[in-house]
Amino acid sequence: MWIQVLLVVGLVAFAFIDLRNGGGGARHQALRRIGLVAFIGLGIFSILFPEWLGWVAGLVGVGRGADLVFYALVVAFLFYVATNHRRFVALDRKLTILARQLALTEAKLHDRHQDDAPAGIDPLPQDTQVNPPDGEPARSAVTRASR
Amino acid sequence: MTDTVQRDAWLVIPLYNEGPVIGTVVEEARRTFPHIVCVDDGSSDDSADRAEAAGAVVVRHPINLGQGAALQTGIDYVVHQTAGEFLVTFDADGQHRVEDAAAMVGKARQEDLAAVFGSRFLDGRTDTGWLKRQVLRVAVTMTNWSSGMKLTDAHNGLRVIRRDLAERLDLTQNRMAHASEIVEQIGDSGLPWAEYPVHVLYTDYSRSKGQSVFNSVNILTELLFK
């Protein structure tokens, strides 16, 4: 049947793409590849011998093989969502650190530039860089707060 | 107005699209706090330029990251690029009073505290709406539960943090949940802290941004699913 050819070609193409773009650690990657090869093998087997899938479905109490595939798909999708979410959070974290570093570096360059400028342009530049704790206002703030 | 100029404190203002008010907020605050850093979180309006024109140091996020991320950037700036002894987190929309901030720094200095949290609920001055009050009550209960602290107001943007404590903070919650994250990290540090009654001004401007209810929903979900 044509559908069998199409599905097998599709699965093999997917495996080919996925095996080439593996990420993560060596161990994780190896496990992923083993799992994928097993999955592809099972997939092709089920496409060529659909009765087998029906038999497995009956074994676990599911009516049809197609239903079993559907349920497996739902679980696989949830797994995908979970791993993708984790990856997204990690990426977000990296992006935040990168953007923060960029912003702070830019601010530092800006400050330095102001320090180099002739005095009197900005009333605050020296203070902006280093402002040693000032005794006088500190004490008056204490008396203020103690009222 | 307070007459005390706080020279060793830095005001940290996370800034995101507050162009209409940020200039005034910075100008007024500068009379008491000459050192102000605004962290512009990728605003699409002229917020950053207005803050700079008003005399604040502006650190610009190249992209929008969230209020928690902006706060952490401000903390990093004060810790690594200034010698300020205290930092004060302050909202950009003008809902906090500068007098409260100055008094809180005074309290931290006088009582040797590493953190002073502003609280709307220590007295009856602040008029929060009913729904917001209920949400904040749930939020503070959950925050207290997870941090082991006893606060009356967990989501108040006005806080004083001393340098030694600021050096230890590492906020990873980019959005609203950073408020409880700060509380948790301060609790973990074991450093002394206190609350201080503040008055929050819900102006027409802050109301017009219409964030209260949606923010409440976000705060609750982020608390539950962080």
Side-chain angles (χ1 to χ4, degrees):
Chain A
M1 278 193 289
W2 269 107
I3 184 68
Q4 287 181 322
V5 175
L6 287 175
L7 288 174
V8 169
V9 169
L11 268 184
V12 171
F14 165 73
F16 196 68
I17 292 165
D18 199 76
L19 282 177
R20 285 200 331 178
N21 310 334
R27 182 198 169 95
H28 177 81
Q29 207 172 5
L31 285 174
R32 221 171 103 98
R33 286 174 174 173
I34 291 170
L36 189 72
V37 169
F39 171 75
I40 300 297
L42 271 179
I44 294 176
F45 192 74
S46 311
I47 293 165
L48 299 181
F49 308 102
E51 314 79 34
W52 174 80
L53 199 58
W55 177 75
V56 176
L59 215 61
V60 293
V62 176
R64 300 180 306 164
D67 290 342
L68 183 66
V69 171
F70 175 69
Y71 297 147
L73 189 68
V74 169
V75 173
F77 174 69
L78 291 179
F79 262 102
Y80 172 78
V81 168
T83 48
N84 229 32
H85 177 71
R86 280 181 52 179
R87 200 175 296 174
F88 179 79
V89 168
L91 195 66
D92 206 36
R93 183 92 200 98
K94 285 183 198 166
L95 182 67
T96 299
I97 291 167
L98 182 68
R100 175 171 301 139
Q101 212 49 254
L102 182 70
L104 289 172
T105 306
E106 209 176 55
K108 196 180 268 178
L109 287 174
H110 188 72
D111 279 2
R112 195 163 295 161
H113 185 72
Q114 281 202 337
D115 279 354
D116 290 343
I121 285 186
D122 187 309
L124 273 176
Q126 304 99 314
D127 287 20
T128 316
Q129 274 294 49
V130 183
N131 56 320
D134 194 328
E136 276 306 306
R139 229 172 287 132
S140 37
V142 167
T143 45
R144 223 189 78 77
S146 61
R147 284 196 303 227
Chain B
M1 278 302 286
T2 173
D3 43 6
T4 314
V5 176
Q6 307 282 344
R7 290 210 170 275
D8 61 343
W10 275 79
L11 227 54
V12 174
I13 306 183
L15 181 58
Y16 183 61
N17 291 347
E18 301 282 4
V21 290
I22 187 62
T24 325
V25 169
V26 168
E27 268 164 31
E28 278 180 16
R30 272 194 90 208
R31 291 188 207 133
T32 311
F33 292 90
H35 301 302
I36 298 180
V37 55
C38 287
V39 182
D40 178 56
D41 195 22
S43 294
S44 53
D45 66 0
D46 56 352
S47 294
D49 293 340
R50 282 178 188 245
E52 197 156 44
V57 172
V58 177
V59 178
R60 290 174 165 86
H61 280 176
I63 46 176
N64 177 249
L65 296 170
Q67 200 187 13
L71 262 186
Q72 182 61 47
T73 300
I75 292 170
D76 282 1
Y77 178 83
V78 174
V79 167
H80 298 299
Q81 298 184 31
T82 78
E85 181 57 21
F86 293 97
L87 69 86
V88 183
T89 67
F90 200 83
D91 283 0
D93 60 4
Q95 62 169 299
H96 295 318
R97 300 195 316 161
V98 180
E99 303 95 288
D100 285 340
M104 283 164 67
V105 173
K107 184 181 172 76
R109 211 179 263 131
Q110 186 188 32
E111 299 175 21
D112 200 21
L113 300 167
V116 179
F117 299 95
S119 172
R120 284 161 280 192
F121 303 119
L122 284 177
D123 59 27
R125 283 181 298 172
T126 301
D127 177 31
T128 48
W130 180 85
L131 180 63
K132 193 176 171 103
R133 181 176 284 260
Q134 301 313 309
V135 168
L136 286 166
R137 190 168 288 172
V138 174
V140 78
T141 307
M142 289 182 62
T143 305
N144 285 343
W145 177 74
S146 63
S147 66
M149 294 169 74
K150 281 200 166 49
L151 292 176
T152 56
D153 186 2
H155 280 82
N156 193 311
L158 187 53
R159 317 169 188 84
V160 171
I161 300 170
R162 202 170 59 193
R163 169 172 282 271
D164 56 337
L165 175 59
E167 283 166 358
R168 299 194 201 181
L169 293 180
D170 181 23
L171 305 178
T172 58
Q173 299 284 337
N174 281 0
R175 291 179 297 277
M176 292 315 291
H178 69 268
S180 26
E181 201 184 14
I182 288 187
V183 175
E184 279 163 29
Q185 292 187 4
I186 290 175
D188 288 345
S189 76
L191 292 168
W193 58 273
E195 280 192 308
Y196 185 89
V198 300
H199 185 34
V200 170
L201 311 156
Y202 292 111
T203 57
D204 289 342
Y205 174 77
S206 69
R207 282 208 179 89
S208 76
K209 295 206 111 188
Q211 289 175 335
S212 50
V213 175
F214 293 118
N215 252 356
S216 304
V217 173
N218 289 337
I219 288 171
L220 287 186
T221 36
E222 285 180 34
L223 277 169
L224 286 169
F225 302 104
K226 66 178 174 186

